[in-house]
Amino acid sequence: YDVAARLIPAEPTFVNNAEREVCERLVAQLGSDDVILANLRLTDHEQDHEADLVVLMPGVGVVVVEVKGGSVKVDGQGRWWQYGNSGSRTIDPVGQARRSKHALRTYVQEDPRWRDSSRDRVRWAHAVVLPYSSVSDEFATPDCPREMIHGKADQQRLGDRIRAVAGTQET
């Protein structure tokens, strides 16, 4: 790929190192036609949403990325847990990413500049990145197949993996 992806805003503020590191990795690994939106906030009739990262890849699709630092594991009941300096807590990274994806897709598709244009439909996907957690090759939950979750060992090819996630989705 050419140079690097474009980042908007050019100098985002991140709440943690995990988000910053994943963003920098994607900027470096994706191409110059790609755009990464950091900390995108949206409000719809249901709630406020914040997407950690939104990756826009022309001709490929849009992937909403939820980043979780610390150590993340899924227990025997399918609950996601995050362990860090402040203890442990249950989290829902797949749900967060999915809700943000749906809110963004609705916002874009209802905007007259998109709705009234001749643009084709776009592939929309979501992914979870756990840069400090190991994820086995056999990992899968009903709402998160292995190709949609990216652990510590997947970081060297994160850009390619995110691009592949979009390619697996229907328009």
Side-chain angles (χ1 to χ4, degrees), residues 1-153:
Y1 299 109
D2 301 329
V3 195
R6 190 162 46 118
L7 178 60
I8 299 173
E11 295 183 19
T13 302
F14 293 104
V15 295
N16 60 53
N17 285 336
E19 289 179 14
R20 181 182 48 76
E21 289 171 16
V22 169
C23 182
E24 289 172 356
R25 194 168 290 128
L26 286 172
V27 167
Q29 291 180 13
L30 292 170
S32 59
D33 287 345
D34 302 321
V35 176
I36 299 170
L37 307 176
N39 303 315
L40 182 68
R41 292 173 188 242
L42 278 161
T43 299
D44 63 17
H45 63 279
E46 292 176 15
Q47 69 183 73
D48 294 331
H49 305 271
E50 182 174 349
D52 293 337
L53 302 168
V54 177
V55 182
L56 311 171
M57 298 167 286
V60 178
V62 177
V63 180
V64 174
V65 178
E66 181 64 29
V67 179
K68 292 295 182 195
S71 176
V72 176
K73 295 186 176 11
V74 178
D75 70 17
Q77 283 76 47
R79 289 178 304 217
W80 291 72
W81 289 88
Q82 183 177 37
Y83 304 88
N85 295 338
S86 56
S88 64
R89 63 187 184 110
T90 59
I91 57 173
D92 181 19
V94 178
Q96 281 181 272
R98 192 174 49 239
R99 286 186 297 274
S100 293
K101 173 188 74 176
H102 289 299
L104 179 60
R105 182 174 62 197
T106 299
Y107 174 80
V108 168
Q109 290 176 344
E110 289 179 354
D111 187 291
R113 294 168 293 182
W114 181 272
R115 188 186 63 228
D116 300 339
S117 75
S118 60
R119 290 183 175 92
D120 289 336
R121 292 177 57 88
V122 171
R123 287 185 174 100
W124 293 86
H126 59 277
V128 175
V129 179
L130 312 173
Y132 311 139
S133 297
S134 297
V135 178
S136 84
D137 290 340
E138 293 78 38
F139 177 92
T141 62
D143 62 350
C144 187
R146 179 60 176 95
E147 65 267 12
M148 294 173 71
I149 185 165
H150 313 280
K152 186 170 27 180

